[in-house]
Amino acid sequence: MSRPEQLVPGIPILEIGGTHVTAAWVDPADWRPSGVSRHDLDSHADANGLLSVFVAACADLDAPTGLHWGVAMPGPFDYVAGIGHFTGVGKFDALDGVDVRARLLQMMPCRPARISFINDASAFLVGEWLAGTAQDASRCVAITLGTGVGSAFLDDGVVVDSGPDVPPSAEVHLLDYAGHPLEDWVSRRAIKRIFAERSARSDQHGPNDLDVKEIMDLARSGDQVAAEVVQAAFQVLGEVLGPWLKRFGAEVLVLGGSISRSWDLIESPLRKGLSGSLELPVRVTADAERSALIGAAYPAFIAESATPAG
């Protein structure tokens, strides 16, 4: 990577999520993050407020001028142009139509030479492919389970987000099941809603506004309604995802996101749903945040590697 005379510990990156922004250095020699700094973020803030937090995180790295930065960003976002398209998604609405690249280049005190963007789910999968659970695979798929269902498809380090072998825009959440969007069946809001609707013991459970973690805990403790809701949700996910994994020729499926921590509960129904289409390794990330940081650096690394020296 082309660098100024001042030695730096790698590629500077930002990893932006719905509640945080993390800055770090990532050394492509061993894909090890360092200097990690995390800031809380209100995704409902105005554009200046959001960009100011991004810039404050950048400043923590005290990077010299002229570097190529990598930024992992949730969608919908034009990753080539660097412009937000966040209409109606409930987060980052103030960045809809904003040229985030131009604003950052203007506001960042370190004056980057370039900024390369990558989708946050894609960054996670790239990190898993480079230094995580998918290192032995050429074609791999990631699903992130949290507020919704994120997805990414990768072929030898290249993000595949179009074509006949992936869902529209490679976004699994756009798929349907039984005439309803997938996230009406499996997502944070879906699991909460279905449990509340099916639970006939409101006096025992208290108000039917339990969050997913509490519902998972109930399922572990033997609550039949909770167990059935969890089993049904992740069997649906397997049934919807399986044909696309087969079409893509996936060699491994990697899971991340907060709900993936309940692998003890979701493994069996997910595998049952997948079994109608194929059998393949399903692995849960050991460190989703680390993988996302690594993946955020990769587009900048590739771009700089392709640039002739001098």
Side-chain angles (χ1 to χ4, degrees):
M1 179 176 180
S2 177
R3 296 173 180 167
E5 292 183 3
Q6 178 181 343
L7 293 178
V8 295
I11 299 166
I13 67 97
L14 288 181
E15 188 267 318
I16 298 169
T19 60
H20 73 277
V21 55
T22 301
W25 296 99
V26 176
D27 187 346
D30 57 8
W31 297 113
R32 187 184 302 275
S34 63
V36 178
S37 173
R38 185 181 176 102
H39 289 239
D40 291 335
L41 184 67
D42 176 6
S43 63
H44 302 291
D46 63 21
N48 285 334
L50 290 166
L51 291 164
S52 293
V53 178
F54 300 169
V55 170
C58 294
D60 288 346
L61 297 185
D62 194 24
T65 62
L67 296 186
H68 191 155
W69 284 66
V71 177
M73 186 88 183
F77 191 86
D78 185 330
Y79 295 95
V80 175
I83 297 173
H85 295 293
F86 294 103
T87 303
V89 296
K91 60 183 178 182
F92 299 137
D93 288 351
L95 296 181
D96 183 47
V98 173
D99 188 333
V100 176
R101 175 185 283 116
R103 293 289 301 276
L104 287 177
L105 288 171
Q106 179 185 38
M107 295 172 66
M108 288 167 64
C110 57
R111 298 298 183 193
R114 297 172 65 186
I115 298 175
S116 291
F117 292 91
I118 185 172
N119 173 268
D120 56 347
S122 297
F124 163 65
L125 180 54
V126 168
E128 290 291 318
W129 175 73
L130 285 169
T133 62
Q135 292 182 77
D136 58 345
S138 295
R139 292 176 75 84
C140 47
V141 177
I143 296 294
T144 57
L145 302 169
T147 303
V149 181
S151 56
F153 294 73
L154 203 67
D155 179 11
D156 262 337
V158 177
V159 175
V160 181
D161 56 12
S162 63
D165 295 338
V166 298
S169 302
E171 295 183 359
V172 168
H173 74 89
L174 296 177
L175 300 175
D176 288 352
Y177 180 82
H180 295 275
L182 177 63
E183 289 186 349
D184 283 357
W185 301 95
V186 53
S187 63
R188 178 173 177 249
R189 62 175 173 79
I191 292 171
K192 290 176 61 178
R193 173 182 55 80
I194 295 169
F195 175 77
E197 291 173 353
R198 294 200 53 191
S199 176
R201 295 169 297 204
S202 60
D203 290 341
Q204 178 179 341
H205 290 151
N208 284 331
D209 60 354
L210 300 182
D211 212 334
V212 172
K213 182 181 185 302
E214 297 163 305
I215 295 169
M216 294 290 188
D217 288 341
L218 282 174
R220 289 189 184 91
S221 68
D223 185 278
Q224 184 175 354
V225 173
E228 289 175 354
V229 168
V230 172
Q231 289 164 11
F234 290 98
Q235 184 169 335
V236 165
L237 178 62
E239 291 177 11
V240 170
L241 188 58
W244 287 102
L245 295 174
K246 184 175 183 179
R247 184 182 300 190
F248 185 68
E251 299 164 24
V252 64
L253 172 64
V254 182
L255 297 185
S258 58
I259 296 178
S260 71
R261 298 170 192 153
S262 295
W263 179 237
D264 58 315
L265 296 175
I266 67 180
E267 178 182 11
S268 178
L270 177 63
R271 290 192 185 279
K272 183 177 180 180
L274 290 172
S275 65
S277 299
L278 79 171
E279 296 283 348
L280 85 169
V282 183
R283 300 167 184 165
V284 180
T285 179
D287 191 338
E289 184 172 7
R290 177 178 180 273
S291 292
L293 299 179
I294 292 169
Y298 193 61
F301 168 75
I302 291 297
E304 291 297 316
S305 298
T307 302

